[in-house]
Amino acid sequence: MRVLLTGAAGFIGSRVRAALNADGHEVVAADIMLDAAHGPGAELPDDTSRVDVRDADALAPLLSGVDVVCHQAAVVGAGVNAADAPSYGSHNDYGTAVLLAQMFAAGVQRLVLASSMVVYGQGGYRCPEHGAVEPLPRTRADLDGGVFEHRCPVGGEELQWQLVGEDAPLRPRSLYAASKAAQEHYALAWAESTGGSVVALRYHNVYGPGMPRDTPYSGVAAIFRSSLEKGEPPRVFEDGGQMRDFVHVEDVAAANVAAVRSEAGGFLAANVCSGRPVSIMTVASRICEARGGPAPVVTGQYRSGDVRHIVADPALAAESLGFRARVDPDQGLREFAFAPLRA
């Protein structure tokens, strides 16, 4: 198939491009090359068009003869401050709206959308006494006192995390999350109104070679790596017990190939995850052990609004797309300890 790939030069996009090519697809590659993602003066890769998806005139010619669009382009990160809101709204949401309009004009009926687990906000929680519940917000007094787990809204018991499925409500808690939820809503409405199909891939914590380092948008695994390279121990917030799902970028690329192959109609959202939850302390420890560096330091510090646990259910992606992650985070994180990072 002929696939238009936006964000093709990025950390994830470049791996998706390689995987699509290996699967026999013809890739039309586009990227705006934002400094925040690539660094100042980064060179445009070969056979890639420098195109802003918000520019309808530049986008339209790239859609000629395209069978499916794989939309990776986005401004990423949790949002450094409220001043980031216009950037997220412009690049992520307006850009997606322009892309969908141009797809309709060109008669392109299929979209694979890079979404994120951040659309869920909180993860899933269960009370040992009262079953599945919505957790009480963590109070500053508890956090200052080193009490990091959520409590039950009924009896105040400490809650246990559980897997989050795609039927969980979308409750974004950051500017970036709000923009990703909006992208999904635009895509869903487009599918309903045009008869097109959308697979929204909700990436969990992506890591791997080529990950950007030392920016506000770096993932925590890359931040831990950078600390060790400076001879400093990784600093782990709270008590290190925060549970996440770390999925290797090669598995993310494979999920995109599976979505491009998919014949699912309408709108489908699917978690892209390893299915093997790990704590943040474990992530830091695996990287430290591999590099032989200083052990992680648990700081007890916290950031207001941070999510305590969010761990994905991989079942729907396996059932609907035939996607199962292959890289075990235990081994993948050890290999990541020496993987090249993007400046």
Side-chain angles (χ1 to χ4, degrees):
M1 284 186 285
R2 184 175 172 89
V3 182
L4 171 59
L5 174 63
T6 69
F11 164 49
I12 294 174
S14 60
R15 297 297 172 136
V16 172
R17 181 179 186 176
L20 288 170
N21 283 329
D23 201 51
H25 301 285
E26 177 188 358
V27 177
V28 180
D31 201 300
I32 191 178
M33 301 298 291
L34 291 174
D35 287 352
H38 303 278
E43 293 186 6
L44 189 71
D46 293 339
D47 301 321
T48 303
S49 299
R50 189 186 296 271
V51 169
D52 186 337
V53 294
R54 298 170 298 178
D55 184 344
D57 291 337
L59 191 60
L62 300 184
L63 287 161
S64 177
V66 162
D67 300 295
V68 56
V69 173
C70 192
H71 186 33
Q72 306 294 317
V75 173
V76 302
V80 179
N81 56 52
D84 289 339
S87 179
Y88 287 125
S90 177
H91 287 281
N92 298 358
D93 302 332
Y94 179 66
T96 297
V98 172
L99 174 62
L100 292 170
Q102 291 305 307
M103 287 175 64
F104 175 71
V108 180
Q109 290 283 291
R110 297 185 55 210
L111 173 69
V112 177
L113 174 67
S115 187
S116 171
M117 57 89 171
V118 296
V119 299
Y120 296 123
Q122 289 286 1
Y125 294 89
R126 185 174 187 84
C127 174
E129 294 295 325
H130 304 101
V133 295
E134 287 295 320
L136 289 173
R138 299 188 294 176
T139 67
R140 186 170 293 277
D142 276 351
L143 293 170
D144 287 340
V147 178
F148 298 114
E149 298 295 348
H150 284 286
R151 299 178 186 274
C152 177
V154 180
E157 297 88 351
E158 183 176 298
L159 299 182
Q160 302 163 345
W161 60 266
Q162 61 181 5
L163 299 180
V164 176
E166 290 82 354
D167 58 351
L170 305 191
R171 294 177 176 169
R173 292 164 54 93
S174 70
L175 298 170
Y176 171 61
S179 75
K180 299 308 285 186
Q183 281 185 300
E184 286 200 19
H185 289 148
Y186 274 112
L188 170 59
W190 174 85
E192 292 282 345
S193 64
T194 67
S197 67
V198 176
V199 179
L201 299 175
R202 292 175 179 167
Y203 302 158
H204 284 251
N205 294 74
V206 186
Y207 71 99
M211 197 173 187
R213 70 160 82 227
D214 299 332
T215 80
Y217 312 103
S218 297
V220 67
I223 292 170
F224 290 160
R225 259 279 307 270
S226 293
S227 295
L228 287 167
E229 289 171 353
K230 297 172 186 173
E232 302 170 356
R235 295 175 59 81
V236 177
F237 279 19
E238 300 189 13
D239 60 359
Q242 309 94 305
M243 297 299 294
R244 298 290 189 270
D245 190 302
F246 279 75
V247 58
H248 197 277
V249 68
E250 296 293 351
D251 281 326
V252 173
N256 276 272
V257 172
V260 166
R261 290 179 178 178
S262 171
E263 297 181 359
F267 180 90
L268 172 70
N271 288 324
V272 177
C273 59
S274 72
R276 303 172 181 90
V278 294
S279 70
I280 294 297
M281 185 63 181
T282 298
V283 173
S285 296
R286 293 293 175 268
I287 296 172
C288 290
E289 291 163 5
R291 293 188 66 94
V297 173
V298 176
T299 67
Q301 293 174 286
Y302 62 87
R303 287 176 294 207
S304 179
D306 269 5
V307 174
R308 176 61 178 173
H309 306 296
I310 180 162
V311 181
D313 188 339
L316 183 64
E319 177 185 345
S320 300
L321 302 175
F323 166 74
R324 293 174 178 82
R326 294 186 177 183
V327 181
D328 188 319
D330 192 70
Q331 181 61 32
L333 287 164
R334 292 179 188 276
E335 294 174 355
F336 177 71
F338 293 98
L341 300 183
R342 182 173 300 195

